[in-house]
Amino acid sequence: MGWWKQVEISHLEEFLVIVEEKKLGEAAEKLYTTSSTLSKHIHAIEKEYGVPLFDRSKRSIVLNEYGQIFLPFAQSIVNAHHEAEKKIKKKKASHKKNISVYAEYRIFELAVKFRQKTHINLIIDENSDYNYKEFLKGGKCALGFLTDSGQLSDEVVRIPYIKDTLMLVCPADHPLAKKRSVSIEELEEEEFVMFQEDNDTPINREIYRMCAKAGYTPQISFTGVTGSNIVESVRRGMGIALLWTKATEHIMVEGIATAALENSPELEIYLCYFKNHTLSPEEQAFVEFVKEEAVWE
């Protein structure tokens, strides 16, 4: 049986710290252990070789001639171990499983739940500049959460994920806060907090369409990038907002009130991919997960 079966790498690491510190107590303090534990480990190494490695005195502990011979080998073994550990970790990281998914709808909680179940990460792309055909071809994202307003072709597989409606989000002390539902007409004099103007999302399109039908253009006081950003702006009194009910129920905070929007359009979100795309095992796992999590009511 070789010596490496008897001596642990950690004992060699401790040996090197003792050599550096030259005092057992200071080495123990640096290693967050006790002097007696270190002494036992050094004795184990010395027993394996049958010789002492240190000259010990009350004031210090220094290498003897045997220890001087052993030192470069201990350093080499510890360095080799650390290098192997580093390369293995790097290789493991390169094999980390990721899926890129385009989303026109908030799927953060879905992504977290999927990762907890499968240890597969979702890289969520919310750049609305893409035409769906660009990213579904696999160059950007092979999978996408899309609304279907008639633009999806027969080339695309559509898996129902969720149906949602708009709700009013306002400060808790707002005059509309006590109402269970409001109409779009009641919001004509309000200042709106919306997603950025260049973010051509389904929610922005619906808000402009509904306001135009009611005979006015929304007055925008502030724009945000995320739902959480918008909710916080509303809480601070920047205005009111219209957000998808199910998509944003997880980000509501104290100081906020909500009410249903009367005659709200219904949003239908599908998980989509091209029929000629061969799903990877990770993508297939995600498709099955979405089917299980779908809220099609």
Side-chain angles (χ1 to χ4, degrees):
M1 182 179 290
W3 72 268
W4 58 88
K5 300 288 183 73
Q6 307 294 328
V7 180
E8 296 183 14
I9 296 291
S10 61
H11 294 177
L12 296 180
E13 292 172 329
E14 293 169 352
F15 168 82
L16 296 177
V17 174
I18 294 170
V19 171
E20 181 182 354
E21 297 296 329
K22 296 183 176 61
K23 290 185 179 180
L24 206 59
E26 292 184 9
E29 186 176 344
K30 188 172 184 178
L31 293 165
Y32 301 100
T33 186
T34 64
S35 297
S36 60
T37 298
L38 289 184
S39 185
K40 288 177 184 177
H41 294 168
I42 295 304
H43 280 306
I45 299 174
E46 292 175 328
K47 183 179 179 181
E48 180 65 23
Y49 285 93
V51 294
L53 300 175
F54 292 96
D55 286 331
R56 295 167 171 85
S57 71
K58 291 183 179 180
R59 292 187 176 182
S60 64
I61 174 171
V62 296
L63 290 175
N64 60 23
E65 58 183 340
Y66 297 114
Q68 292 288 351
I69 293 172
F70 182 68
L71 177 60
F73 294 99
Q75 290 172 325
S76 177
I77 292 165
V78 169
N79 290 341
H81 169 69
H82 289 166
E83 187 64 23
E85 191 175 49
K86 184 169 67 175
K87 288 190 175 182
I88 288 172
K89 285 182 178 179
K90 185 176 180 180
K91 190 66 174 178
K92 284 175 67 178
S94 70
H95 288 163
K96 198 170 185 179
K97 297 175 181 177
N98 296 322
I99 304 174
S100 293
V101 179
Y102 176 79
E104 292 185 339
Y105 184 85
R106 178 184 169 88
I107 60 166
F108 176 77
E109 286 75 23
L110 182 75
V112 170
K113 193 172 181 179
F114 179 66
R115 187 182 188 280
Q116 290 172 341
K117 181 177 180 179
T118 65
H119 303 291
I120 299 172
N121 295 319
L122 286 191
I123 309 301
I124 303 172
D125 189 338
E126 296 178 337
N127 187 340
S128 62
D129 291 338
Y130 298 146
N131 174 283
Y132 81 94
K133 289 188 177 181
E134 291 180 23
F135 57 81
L136 287 188
K137 287 185 182 299
K140 300 290 185 180
C141 306
L143 299 172
F145 285 88
L146 305 174
T147 58
D148 185 6
S149 55
Q151 87 276 22
L152 298 180
S153 69
D154 292 338
E155 304 172 273
V156 175
V157 176
R158 299 183 305 169
I159 299 169
Y161 169 55
I162 201 166
K163 290 182 180 180
D164 209 344
T165 54
L166 289 170
M167 67 176 178
L168 169 72
V169 180
C170 65
D173 59 357
H174 192 281
L176 295 174
K178 295 182 180 179
K179 300 195 69 171
R180 297 184 65 179
S181 65
V182 297
S183 66
I184 194 69
E185 287 78 12
E186 291 178 82
L187 305 181
E188 183 173 359
E189 302 302 319
E190 300 293 335
E191 292 186 318
F192 282 68
V193 179
M194 292 179 60
F195 287 100
Q196 291 180 345
E197 290 293 322
D198 59 353
N199 191 357
D200 187 26
T201 60
I203 195 166
N204 275 11
R205 293 195 295 267
E206 290 295 345
I207 291 172
Y208 279 113
R209 184 190 64 78
M210 293 182 70
C211 290
K213 188 176 180 181
Y216 68 93
T217 300
Q219 304 174 51
I220 301 174
S221 62
F222 187 79
T223 60
V225 178
T226 66
S228 297
N229 185 211
I230 288 175
V231 169
E232 179 60 20
S233 301
V234 171
R235 187 186 72 81
R236 291 174 178 267
M238 299 293 291
I240 60 95
L242 294 176
L243 294 173
W244 298 116
T245 304
K246 294 173 184 174
T248 53
E249 61 185 358
H250 301 285
I251 59 174
M252 291 299 118
V253 296
E254 189 175 350
I256 288 291
T258 62
L261 181 66
E262 296 169 6
N263 301 313
S264 167
E266 186 174 65
L267 178 77
E268 294 185 352
I269 290 287
Y270 298 84
L271 175 61
C272 302
Y273 60 92
F274 273 106
K275 292 178 180 178
N276 61 3
H277 172 69
T278 301
L279 295 173
S280 69
E282 293 77 24
E283 290 170 343
Q284 185 62 53
F286 183 61
V287 167
E288 296 305 317
F289 179 77
V290 169
K291 290 178 180 178
E292 295 171 4
E293 296 294 317
V295 184
W296 203 254
E297 301 173 344

